[in-house]
């Protein structure tokens, strides 16, 4: 009786699922593509969610062999070539300045997960990151320069060493040359297609080695995990603990936003010399140590999932500039320079990391942070790798605590400071 009932339920579920898929396919895909209708707000939001969800499905099915962020990025590019309107974010109801605010809030949240001693202890990560960036400059400006020419190599190097700001600086330096203008941003936008899978592979090797030692009881946890605290008690608390009944969604988010606003003030005081995102990370650490804010505020306010989803939509929406014509025009140049950049990272980051006591895989992953665009890729790749390798919550936390501080710091060092300095130097030296 039970088997017949289950069979009927499965059949009904399949029929209902097919009807839902057909109706969505007709109204959301077919009619807009044929010009019979326009996407609604919910249609636009759903299309981006589908791209994100399919990326996660592929990652789970392949046990993170193919990272979700890689698949989703590819789907967004294809989407912009076919169905996605250029302003899909706005159509989905996401204001242009909202994702930037969400990133600041998310980085503050991640700061609350770190202990100040662990943050200071990441000096090795900083050294390895700079070594990787030096490797990029070395290879691109020597071998790459001979292959593609001085101007192309010079305009490509800063974006390859970090983030969006460096690409914008170089675009400003070559604004009268359309091809170089495209190259500067394309290098930043496309580098993740190499950085994402390589970092994912390194984290997989590192995770397997850590778990092997951990399961055999051979692991000294003090060498591999961060000193993240699990309680809300900071070591230097001056603020009284907020009673549980007052740890509501609105109050927790308000305290997070206060730290975000202070970070913006601090960036203004330094005249942009230190990024507001770096200050957000530091304020998250400091705010928790002083007891002003609870650890993991976005999880406490049950808003983490929405924040990271909108941030990822924003990141992938930037791929709208990658048109087929752009890809054709820069394919050879990109292939040459991204290959040289990767080799340069390996040549310097691995031996430097090994000299500092880090494994080859972890050293390479840290160095590769330069061509992965920093946050949020650093968080997504670390979390995904830890989740799919750990067989229980304890192993997941062990790996996440090991990966996350290093990948976060690497991304911030390269994207918000190192690459900007290099961009300023290259803009004045070559243009």
């Amino acid at each position: 009786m039970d088997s017949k009932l289950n069979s009927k339920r499965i059949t009904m579920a399949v029929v209902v699922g097919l009807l839902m898929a057909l109706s969505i396919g007709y109204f959301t895909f077919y009619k807009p593509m044929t010009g019979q209708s326009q996407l609604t707000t919910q249609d636009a939001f759903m299309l981006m969610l589908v791209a994100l969800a399919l990326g996660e499905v592929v990652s789970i099915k392949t046990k993170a062999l193919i990272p979700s962020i890689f698949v989703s990025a590819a789907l967004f590019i294809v989407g912009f070539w076919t169905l996605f309107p250029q302003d899909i974010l706005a159509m989905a109801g996401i204001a242009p300045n909202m994702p930037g605010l969400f990133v600041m809030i998310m980085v503050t949240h991640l700061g609350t997960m770190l202990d100040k001693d662990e943050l200071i202890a990441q000096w090795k990560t900083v050294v390895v990151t700079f070594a990787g960036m030096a490797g990029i400059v070395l290879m691109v400006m020597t071998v790459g320069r001979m292959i593609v020419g001085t101007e192309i190599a010079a305009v490509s190097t800063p974006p390859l060493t970090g983030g969006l700001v460096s690409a914008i600086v170089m675009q400003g330096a070559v604004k009268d040359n359309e091809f170089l203008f495209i190259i500067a941003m394309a290098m930043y936008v496309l580098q993740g297609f190499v950085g994402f899978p390589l970092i994912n592979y390194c984290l997989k090797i590192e995770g397997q080695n850590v778990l092997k030692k951990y399961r055999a009881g051979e692991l000294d946890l003090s060498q591999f995990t961060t000193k993240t605290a699990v309680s809300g008690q900071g070591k230097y608390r001056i603020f009284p603990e907020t009673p549980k009944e007052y740890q509501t969604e609105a109050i927790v988010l308000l305290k997070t936003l206060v730290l975000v606003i202070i970070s913006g003030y601090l960036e203004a005081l330094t005249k942009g010399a230190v990024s507001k995102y770096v200050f957000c990370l530091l304020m998250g650490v400091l705010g928790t140590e002083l007891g002003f804010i609870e650890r993991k505020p976005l999880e406490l306010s049950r808003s983490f999932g929405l924040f990271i989803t909108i941030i990822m939509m924003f990141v992938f929406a930037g791929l709208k500039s990658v048109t087929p014509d752009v890809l054709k025009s820069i394919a050879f140049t990109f292939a040459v320079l991204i290959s040289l950049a990767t080799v340069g990272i390996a040549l310097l980051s691995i031996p430097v990391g090994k000299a500092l006591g880090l494994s080859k895989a972890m050293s390479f992953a840290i160095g590769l942070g330069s061509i992965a665009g920093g946050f949020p890729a650093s968080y997504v790749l670390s979390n995904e790798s830890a989740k799919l390798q750990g067989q229980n919550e304890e192993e997941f936390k062990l790996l996440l605590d090991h990966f996350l501080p290093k990948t976060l710091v690497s991304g911030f060092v390269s994207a918000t400071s190192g690459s900007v300095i290099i961009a300023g130097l290259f803009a004045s030296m070559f243009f």
Side-chain angles (χ1 to χ4, degrees):
M1 186 68 178
D2 287 342
S3 61
K4 288 184 178 181
L5 184 60
N6 286 335
S7 178
K8 287 182 179 179
R9 286 175 176 171
I10 292 172
T11 301
M12 290 178 64
V14 170
V15 171
V16 172
L18 285 173
L19 289 174
M20 292 170 63
L22 287 171
S23 61
I24 290 173
Y26 178 72
F27 289 105
T28 303
F29 290 89
Y30 177 74
K31 294 195 74 174
M33 285 187 72
T34 56
Q36 298 179 47
S37 67
Q38 291 187 336
L39 293 176
T40 63
T41 298
Q42 57 268 29
D43 288 335
F45 201 95
M46 187 197 70
L47 285 174
M48 291 190 288
L49 273 181
V50 167
L52 295 179
L54 287 176
E56 293 183 353
V57 169
V58 172
S59 176
I60 293 170
K61 286 289 186 182
T62 62
K63 297 188 182 299
L65 182 64
I66 304 175
S68 64
I69 197 168
F70 178 90
V71 177
S72 296
L75 290 173
F76 265 79
I77 288 179
V78 174
F80 283 118
W81 291 356
T82 53
L83 180 61
F84 289 13
Q86 295 290 296
D87 61 344
I88 191 170
L89 275 181
M91 289 190 69
I94 301 173
N97 55 352
M98 181 188 292
L101 171 63
F102 278 18
V103 170
M104 293 179 72
I105 293 173
M106 179 64 71
V107 173
T108 305
H109 164 87
L110 295 173
T112 69
M113 298 169 62
L114 300 176
D115 181 274
K116 74 169 183 62
D117 296 330
E118 173 58 28
L119 196 61
I120 294 171
Q122 289 305 321
W123 66 269
K124 293 181 180 180
T125 298
V126 175
V127 173
V128 174
T129 302
F130 279 125
M133 295 171 70
I136 293 173
V137 175
L138 176 66
M139 290 298 294
V140 174
M141 292 308 295
T142 54
V143 181
R145 190 176 186 174
M146 291 187 290
I147 298 173
V148 302
T150 299
E151 285 192 334
I152 292 176
V155 81
S156 302
T157 299
L160 286 172
T161 60
L164 177 62
V165 176
S166 60
I168 293 173
V169 170
M170 297 315 296
Q171 281 189 319
V174 299
K175 57 186 176 183
D176 296 328
N177 187 316
E178 185 178 356
F179 181 71
L180 293 180
F181 188 88
I182 292 172
I183 283 282
M185 187 56 67
M187 284 294 164
Y188 164 71
V189 171
L190 294 174
Q191 60 187 330
F193 284 96
V194 174
F196 298 157
L198 284 178
I199 289 179
N200 184 70
Y201 179 69
C202 291
L203 293 181
K204 187 171 184 179
I205 293 175
E206 179 73 2
Q208 289 173 346
N209 292 335
V210 170
L211 288 177
K212 183 179 179 180
K213 293 179 181 179
Y214 176 70
R215 291 165 183 167
E218 302 171 355
L219 186 64
D220 179 2
L221 295 180
S222 65
Q223 294 180 347
F224 286 87
T225 62
T226 69
K227 299 178 179 64
T228 51
V230 294
S231 70
Q233 296 289 334
K235 294 180 181 178
Y236 307 98
R237 175 180 288 277
I238 61 173
F239 291 92
E241 185 175 2
T242 304
K244 290 288 185 183
E245 60 268 27
Y246 289 102
Q247 293 180 15
T248 64
E249 288 87 346
I251 292 174
V252 171
L253 285 175
L254 175 61
K255 290 196 284 186
T256 309
L257 197 61
V258 167
L259 297 179
V260 166
I261 291 172
I262 292 173
S263 300
Y265 294 157
L266 291 173
E267 182 189 52
L269 285 174
T270 64
K271 296 182 179 180
V274 181
S275 167
K276 58 189 176 183
Y277 301 113
V278 173
F279 279 124
C280 282
L281 187 71
L282 296 176
M283 290 305 298
V285 175
L286 181 62
T288 310
E289 290 293 328
L290 297 179
F292 173 75
I293 193 171
E294 294 75 22
R295 296 194 183 273
K296 302 183 181 180
L298 294 188
E299 292 183 17
L300 192 60
S301 63
R302 293 175 287 190
S303 54
F304 181 89
L306 179 62
F307 275 67
I308 193 66
T309 297
I310 290 179
I311 289 170
M312 295 310 298
M313 287 178 176
F314 170 71
V315 170
F316 292 135
L319 297 172
K320 63 184 178 183
S321 60
V322 185
T323 64
D325 290 337
V326 168
L327 281 183
K328 289 177 184 177
S329 66
I330 68 159
F332 173 76
T333 300
F334 175 74
V336 169
L337 296 185
I338 195 67
S339 299
L340 291 173
T342 304
V343 171
I345 291 170
L347 284 176
L348 291 188
S349 66
I350 292 176
V352 169
K354 191 175 180 181
L356 294 175
L358 298 172
S359 69
K360 291 181 181 178
M362 196 70 245
S363 299
F364 195 26
I366 291 170
L368 287 166
S370 297
I371 59 171
F375 182 86
S378 53
Y379 171 80
V380 173
L381 291 167
S382 296
N383 185 72
E384 185 173 78
S385 185
K387 184 181 293 183
L388 292 177
Q389 289 190 73
Q391 294 184 357
N392 51 51
E393 186 65 25
E394 191 175 65
E395 291 184 353
F396 163 69
K397 187 178 184 304
L398 170 72
L399 293 180
L400 187 63
D401 283 352
H402 179 45
F403 296 155
L404 191 56
K406 297 176 180 62
T407 55
L408 276 179
V409 171
S410 171
F412 282 124
V413 168
S414 59
T416 65
S417 54
S419 65
V420 178
I421 294 171
I422 293 173
L425 290 173
F426 273 49
S428 60
M429 289 171 59
F430 295 100
F431 304 100

